[in-house]
Amino acid sequence: MENRDDRIENTFSDPQLVNRYGSKKSKEVQEEKEEDQAYQLSVEQTFESQRVPSWLEQLTLRAFVVGLLLSTLFSFIVMKLNLTTGIIPSLNVSAGLLGFFFVKTWTKLLEKTGWLKQPFTRQENTVIQTCVVASSGISFSGGFGGYLFGMSETVAKQATEFNDPQNVKNPQIGWMIGFLFVVSFIGLFSVVPLRKIMIVDFKLTYPSGTATAHLINSFHTPEGAKLAKKQVKTLGKFFGFSFLWSLFQWFFTGGDNCGFHSFPTFGLKAYTNMFYFDFSATYVGVGMICPYIINVSVLVGGIISWGIMWPLIADKKGDWYSEKLPSSSLLGLQGYKVFIAIAMILGDGLYNFVKVLSRTIISFSKETRNKRNEVLPVEERNSTAISSLSYDDERRTQMFIKDQIPAWFAVGGYVTIAIISIVILPHIFQPLKWYHILVIYIFAPVLAFCNAYGSGLTDWSLASTYGKLAIFTIGAWAGAAHGGVLAGLAACGVMMNIVSTASDLSQDFKTGYLTLASPRSMFVSQVIGTAMGCVISPCVFWIFYSAFPDMGQQGSQYPAPYAIVYRSMATLGVEGFSSLPMHCLELCYGFFAASIVINGIRDSVGKKWSQYIPLPMAMAIPFYLGSYFAIDMCIGSLILFVWQKLNKTKADAFAPAVASGLICGDGIWTLPSSMLALAKVNPPICMKFLTSSTNTKVDAFLGS
């Protein structure tokens, strides 16, 4: 292994595969030697004997049938996460693994019957992955837990101001589907002309796309297929456990604050301050996927806010804010929770926006200078340049430039969709004028490129940050008297969808480059997946919205915390700071500055020490929600930590499958639970916890 050619890169370095056997006995030593010999080959040498299907052959009916099924599953999962905490981990591993399993099972059955006409390839696997991620991504970029639901009357009533009809638009499945179809595709056309520059010439990393490609490549080797089979089996076990556990919990939720999710783990006093373990399999699984520092940051944020700040500010009731205000009023304690969280999010977003943008400009300028005298099309490079590439890079580059997407098609598509949007969107949102949309579409390609390029460097998409920029600019431009809040939220949706889909497609192009999937099949799969998401996501949201009437209210099962955050940002953009409670602005300034300083310290101390410094963005989330989900996530981290100490090889291989099973099982339970709620079938038992004095009073009342 030490003598491997330094030029050969992109070998199977997926952490799920490397060193998975550890020290073995007799029989398995030979297997390990055979594996070593396989690893001496580069990735494309391993697949050299397999024919690469044409881009049309990669787009199979079975791929899109499986994509539709998985899109529906993941849309429920992402929607639940959106409406509970807004923390959404990467589900790429789950999508790739389940896509491989379903089609592999399908093809095996057909093979036994003799009906199999086309084998299952890694290119088809990539098409499924792209379709599923594009579709379920609409559940996030569609703003169902953020800007879109923030338009509703439910959220507007909590904001107390600008809840007049011109600033409110209640969700309706018709206009939501229409809105998504109008705004979700234009971002795909904005980066198509630059795909070769970013993937081939600048060789941007796109860490998520690269990791997904390694995963898919590994599945389609003999050893990788064996491991994948074991991983799917593990995922299935924990999927079943999670689903049954959620079913069991449902029987005890027959009332407000009933059930295991209201279990006062650390006592009733801690429970009132939102410190308890709510037995959520979803967030235990999320904790196993998210890095340790994310989970610890969320817990630290919960301790600072609910453990220290809110009790102290609550003591100022009657002094800093009126005692007569309802608990949901943004002029009272709720205002401190929301606006301080916003200050931290904006501080973190501004810092990372400047950092990524500056890195993008510097890197882009450097690459442009280096390539000024080179001809970009790889076919026209001289033989010396070609020979300097590794075998993998040469083969991948040749396949990547084989199926071109014409520039006129990309530009024409962008202009056509922009014209359609300018005509249609003002009819959906009256305060959003045609000239607002025109200005957004003029600047959008530049911002989409910046986001796609920055994502390639850092794996960090700043879609929500660009969306917040649109909230403030368009909202202030429209003005308070002309529905500025609704205009700002709608503009946020337009901008977020453009820059989000642009970076997603760039990640998919990188995955396709590393698996020899055609750029055309990637683009078509992204378009089909986006179209699926434009229908599936609003339908899934409508199920939640219809089944749970208290959705969006603090303390409910689905509080949609970011909905009030986005609406409050729109209010700030229109009205300024005059609506904040006493001393709230000073606290916001302090936490805004603290977010920037903490990020600066993290970047200056290096990787060794930065892993011990909390992330302000993650710290801000529990300021509004509480720490209960942070405890779930930290328990997930603890499970993973102990597992890795006992058997790191096995933990690295199977932890993603365990976590995905926990998330998927609990997530899919939301479908039958929603159906039961719509059918007015209520749980039979209410398990509730009371203090001994309250319990005595209840017993006395019942006995009278």
Side-chain angles (χ1 to χ4, degrees), residues 518-541:
S518 168
R520 289 184 183 178
S521 65
M522 291 292 90
F523 182 81
V524 172
S525 180
Q526 184 89 14
V527 169
I528 293 175
T530 301
M532 288 180 184
C534 290
V535 176
I536 294 171
S537 293
C539 292
V540 171
F541 174 79

Side-chain angles (χ1 to χ4, degrees), residues 94-114:
S94 310
L97 191 60
L98 289 172
F100 173 81
F101 169 71
F102 282 128
V103 180
K104 201 68 176 176
T105 304
W106 185 334
T107 55
K108 276 190 176 181
L109 291 174
L110 291 178
E111 194 172 14
K112 288 180 180 178
T113 61

